[in-house]
Amino acid sequence: MKTLLLLLLLCHVSSPVKHSLKFFIAASSGIPNVPEVMASALVDDVHAGYCDTNTQIADVKLDWVKNYFDKNPEDREWFVAECFVNLPRFFKVTISLLMQVLNQREGVHILQMTEGCEWDEETGEVNGILQYGYNGEDFISLDLKTLTWIALKPEAVAIKLAWDSEEATIKRYANFLTQLCPDWLKNSIDYRNTSLLRTDPPSVSLLQKTPSSPVSCHATGFYPDRAMMFWTKDGEELHEDVDQGEILPNHDGTFQMSVDLNISSVSPEDWRRYDCVFQLSGVKEDIITKLDKAEIRTNRVPPSEFPAAAVIGVVVGLLLLLLCISGLFIWRRNNNGFRPANTSDSSPPDAASN
């Protein structure tokens, strides 16, 4: 089934011997504001990907799968089409069929499907599963040994008889569950291993807000997120006066972290005894950064470096502005509050008095 063929790319396995991939798909009818179709991919019970017809967004949970889609945009387009076109069409037709066979009228109905495979890396054994649930109850499943459907409740017998006659469809399901699913799973494991073995070293900096603030050892741009960073004194790891930060994601898929050292009780001559150590999984050599005052970055501007000329210019400008405001106030007082009265007898009478 093409729908699930590409979804297999969402797999991520954690067991070194046995690997499993399962898809849980649910379709609903007659429920307002609920997606018609929701699909999740789980590997070893770990959520790997999700999509639904409401958001129209294929949410991939694993970084290495996102990287794969970035390098293979045609597969991303196919995945999106399967999620938002083919799956809704298939489940809509199937729900309609079930309602017709079961003589049900319009109303709320939910169809669920669990499909996937298990592969034992050590023995090579493969097991497949395909089972449907309807309105919250197990309904029908495929027996891969007999290539027939098993009715899990009496109401499913009619569907079993109808689906047993579709031998070509059963063979396609069996081929997917026992051949395509394990093959895609193995290929995905190979790609995952290649991707996750990549290591990117960080850029490490020493940061400090003020001379009395803790010194922060900040690492950014590293990959993967399996890393440790700590302060040492004379080669021994410190636990006191140390504030350990969390590993945080960057926008480009790499990570960052920091660890702070309180230096309030450290004398200047002892700074050389302190080191910041960064360790990255898969990399043998540690990145060691010595506590050196000359290497610390800060936003604080020392008084000796502050632009005195600019300060003098600002002060002079403010004084000139103050003089201008004072002169304007004196001028307005002399021309308004102390204006002499007009005593001339020859002045014409006010037009309003006529």
Side-chain angles (χ1 to χ4, degrees):
M1 187 178 183
K2 277 188 174 182
T3 299
L4 298 177
L5 203 58
L6 180 64
L7 282 173
L8 281 165
L9 290 170
L10 295 173
C11 69
H12 173 64
V13 291
S14 58
S15 170
V17 175
K18 201 167 188 177
H19 308 284
S20 66
L21 172 64
K22 295 179 182 178
F23 299 95
F24 297 92
I25 305 171
S28 62
S29 174
I31 306 179
N33 302 322
V34 173
E36 289 186 353
V37 175
M38 297 176 286
S40 291
L42 279 76
V43 177
D44 296 338
D45 297 324
V46 177
H47 196 189
Y50 171 83
C51 65
D52 67 59
T53 51
N54 276 11
T55 63
Q56 294 291 306
I57 296 176
D59 186 12
V60 180
K61 304 295 185 181
L62 303 175
D63 289 337
W64 71 268
V65 180
K66 295 177 183 178
N67 295 335
Y68 175 87
F69 280 145
D70 288 341
K71 296 178 181 179
N72 300 272
E74 67 282 359
D75 286 344
R76 182 197 301 274
E77 294 175 2
W78 185 20
F79 172 68
V80 170
E82 293 297 316
C83 279
F84 307 127
V85 178
N86 297 333
L87 273 176
R89 182 185 301 144
F90 170 77
F91 275 88
K92 186 174 182 179
V93 170
T94 305
I95 288 180
S96 178
L97 173 64
L98 289 174
M99 291 175 62
Q100 181 180 355
V101 172
L102 299 176
N103 196 26
Q104 295 174 333
R105 298 182 179 180
E106 294 183 358
V108 174
H109 300 284
I110 299 176
L111 176 64
Q112 297 167 291
M113 181 177 74
T114 301
E115 184 172 17
C117 62
E118 293 181 346
W119 170 58
D120 191 314
E121 188 176 3
E122 191 174 72
T123 65
E125 182 182 0
V126 171
N127 293 311
I129 179 174
L130 175 57
Q131 181 170 319
Y132 287 90
Y134 188 60
N135 289 341
E137 297 181 351
D138 292 341
F139 192 75
I140 195 170
S141 65
L142 180 62
D143 187 337
L144 290 174
K145 294 181 180 179
T146 62
L147 296 183
T148 58
W149 291 94
I150 301 174
L152 302 179
K153 59 183 307 184
E155 293 85 344
V157 173
I159 298 295
K160 166 190 162 51
L161 296 176
W163 286 5
D164 277 346
S165 64
E166 300 178 2
E167 296 181 2
T169 300
I170 293 177
K171 289 181 179 179
R172 285 199 299 271
Y173 278 132
N175 183 64
F176 169 77
L177 296 172
T178 61
Q179 299 295 328
L180 295 180
C181 179
D183 287 346
W184 277 76
L185 183 54
K186 296 171 188 177
N187 292 336
S188 298
I189 292 171
D190 291 340
Y191 184 87
R192 178 211 63 175
N193 291 341
T194 302
S195 176
L196 295 185
L197 286 175
R198 153 191 159 228
T199 57
D200 293 339
S203 171
V204 181
S205 304
L206 299 179
L207 309 174
Q208 189 181 32
K209 293 181 180 179
T210 67
S212 60
S213 299
V215 174
S216 178
C217 186
H218 181 72
T220 185
F222 62 87
Y223 185 91
D225 60 349
R226 298 185 296 277
M228 294 179 60
M229 189 162 65
F230 50 88
W231 283 97
T232 65
K233 180 181 179 181
D234 298 330
E236 297 293 330
E237 183 177 351
L238 288 175
H239 298 285
E240 296 182 357
D241 297 325
V242 171
D243 185 11
Q244 182 69 56
E246 297 180 356
I247 297 179
L248 302 174
N250 290 324
H251 69 280
D252 60 356
T254 61
F255 299 90
Q256 61 172 296
M257 67 184 304
S258 62
V259 56
D260 296 346
L261 173 66
N262 186 349
I263 61 169
S264 59
S265 60
V266 180
S267 60
E269 57 269 19
D270 284 340
W271 277 40
R272 59 184 178 81
R273 301 170 62 187
Y274 291 82
D275 296 314
C276 173
V277 180
F278 178 89
Q279 297 176 340
L280 184 63
S281 177
V283 177
K284 294 182 179 180
E285 295 184 3
D286 298 342
I287 298 178
I288 300 177
T289 305
K290 284 196 168 293
L291 181 59
D292 187 346
K293 195 168 187 178
E295 299 297 327
I296 295 177
R297 300 180 183 179
T298 179
N299 292 328
R300 185 181 63 88
V301 179
S304 60
E305 299 179 12
F306 203 84
V311 175
I312 295 174
V314 171
V315 172
V316 172
L318 290 174
L319 290 175
L320 291 175
L321 179 61
L322 180 61
L323 289 174
C324 291
I325 293 174
S326 300
L328 178 62
F329 173 77
I330 294 172
W331 179 83
R332 286 179 60 85
R333 184 185 63 182
N334 290 338
N335 288 276
N336 292 324
F338 298 95
R339 184 174 57 186
N342 189 349
T343 56
S344 174
D345 294 335
S346 60
S347 297
D350 193 287
S353 64
N354 293 336

